[in-house]
Amino acid sequence: MLTEIKLPSLGEGIESGDVLEILVSVGDVVKKDESLLEMETDKATVSIPSPFAGKILSITVTEGQTVPVGNVIATLEAVGAPAGPATAPVTAPVAPTPTPAPPPMPPAAVVELAPAPKAPSAEPTKVVAPTVVPAALKAIKPTLAPSDAGTPFGDDVIPAGPAIRRFAREVGVDLAELSGTGDGGRITREDVLSVVRHANQSARSVPTSIPAPSNLGVVTESPALTHAAPANKTSNLPGTPSTDSYGPTRVDPMTKIRKTIAAQMHKSWSSVPRVVNFDDADITELEAIRQASKDDYASRGIKLTSMPFLIKAVATALKHHPALNATIDIEKEQIIYKDYVNIGIAVDGEKGLVVPTLKNADKMSIPDIAYALSDLSSRVRNNNYAVSDLRGGTFTISNLGAIGGTYSTPVVNVPEVAILLVGRSRKMPIVMADDSIKPRLMMPLSLAYDHRLVDGATAARFLNDIIAYLEAPSRLLLAI
């Protein structure tokens, strides 16, 4: 029975997606819910699973193609089902003519050296040594292409997101051979890299020159080993080779995610008259509380940072400053104040900046925020999130401190009207109330806001409230 597989709904308001990668080939046998394609929509990479188990008969899309929701992407025949109408009927069983099997070929990676007689020649003959691979590299099991015999992986579902699967394919690592070290046994990027590093270390131990047979007395280079570690690693760069008037270049088409980011940034820059306020919060006491609590969180698999405290402070302050938790409808000449607080957290994902949303952050405790934040960040970095995770934000926080730097001028994430950027906390000499000078841990804050709705005084009071909560953690813990 032939079954058409159509592109399912990719999220509310999404009418199409770009084919990022095709994960199967014609003739592959797939299981139910096994990934067939990876689609790129707005800021999300979505894996499209097979709704049935069976054999892939055709794939009707190509990588890079824009496919509307509801279009056929592949056809599938259930395993064990009768053949379709294209199969010619057979009236009587015919015994197949036995065909002698070809002699087994040696593995491509290992060549046995067999002496052969050479015809005499007036000129010395240059001898190319055979490719020899050390035992350490032979032990690394290569990734096998899927075939009609079964699916590319074992019977168990491999706990890895689309980004990790794609990365593993690019570097030639078989995920079925790995044990994940992430939460719940998930395979992380570091797990894949550890296999690659091991292979690289083994490759370095291979000599770059191999003596030819002693009767020839010639030392030659192994071509396979020479090309395995090229001095110029431009192949690792994105894009395809090209040139301009000044030299070589590489051209890479913009992904759908990058085009979405570019359009959003242009819209913000061209429509929002932005003003930025800079300030610092003394988080010395807050850091003492965090240090005292981080081991308890670590025992539950959560790394406690200062971000949950900052999110709670921002969410609480937004309830008292509705102008920063609103949007502007220019066409209808209206201001829409939000009675809910959804904090967007800017995360540096594999394909660019992604802003997943922490829903109803004002109603969450700091432990709840810590758990939710850890889950969101993990799913974004593994490309394992839904489009709905990126929608509904009312205010955005960008954490530059995780990378480095102090102050910046962030771009407002329209249609929101404000964004807070936090830099890396550092110790500074601060003059205290009694005129003494003490080292204090200071958190740099940069608040950018839409001056069409938010006045400077309103922004300053909002930032002062955030600082007050951070500097008095007891108020933050009791805030409702």
Side-chain angles (χ1 to χ4, degrees), residues 7 10 14-19 39-41 65-68 256:
L7 183 63
L10 302 174
I14 298 180
E15 299 179 353
S16 65
D18 290 352
V19 179
M39 303 291 296
E40 192 176 51
T41 65
Q65 179 181 347
T66 299
V67 182
K256 196 176 187 73

Side-chain angles (χ1 to χ4, degrees), residues 5 42 75 108 124 179 202 239 260 317-318 320 342 355 359 375 384 390 400 414 461:
I5 302 176
D42 290 340
T75 57
S179 297
S202 300
T260 301
L318 285 172
H320 305 296
N342 293 343
V355 187
K359 306 292 195 303
D375 176 65
N384 187 25
L390 312 178
L400 182 64
V414 292
R461 283 191 285 267

Side-chain angles (χ1 to χ4, degrees), residues 274-281 400 405-410 419-423 426 443-449 456 459-460 463-464 467:
R274 179 188 53 171
V275 181
V276 185
N277 288 7
F278 303 101
D279 215 327
D280 291 278
L400 182 64
T406 50
Y407 307 101
S408 185
T409 55
I419 179 173
L420 179 69
L421 181 138
V422 54
R426 74 279 190 220
M443 175 184 285
L445 302 172
S446 306
L447 176 67
Y449 52 94
L463 193 55
N464 286 341
I467 293 172

Side-chain angles (χ1 to χ4, degrees), residues 356-380:
T357 303
L358 201 62
K359 306 292 195 303
N360 298 313
D362 57 316
K363 299 178 181 178
M364 302 173 69
S365 65
I366 289 177
D368 291 338
I369 294 174
Y371 283 108
L373 183 62
S374 176
D375 176 65
L376 269 181
S377 300
S378 175
R379 287 194 285 122
V380 167

Side-chain angles (χ1 to χ4, degrees), residues 89-106:
V90 179
T91 57
V94 178
T97 302
T99 303
M105 297 295 293

Side-chain angles (χ1 to χ4, degrees), residues 154-243:
D155 292 336
D156 297 330
V157 176
I158 296 177
I164 301 302
R165 292 173 183 267
R166 182 170 57 253
F167 177 61
R169 287 192 296 273
E170 290 172 353
V171 298
V173 173
D174 187 355
L175 292 180
E177 301 296 322
L178 294 186
S179 297
T181 60
D183 295 340
R186 288 189 68 83
I187 296 174
T188 65
R189 186 181 180 89
E190 187 60 31
D191 295 331
V192 179
L193 286 174
S194 66
V195 177
V196 177
R197 293 190 190 103
H198 176 73
N200 289 341
Q201 289 171 359
S202 300
R204 292 192 192 101
S205 64
V206 180
T208 57
S209 62
I210 301 174
S214 57
N215 61 328
L216 297 176
V218 180
V219 176
T220 60
E221 289 189 348
S222 167
L225 295 177
T226 302
H227 295 301
N232 186 1
K233 297 184 178 181
T234 55
S235 59
N236 293 333
L237 297 176
T240 55
S242 182
T243 57

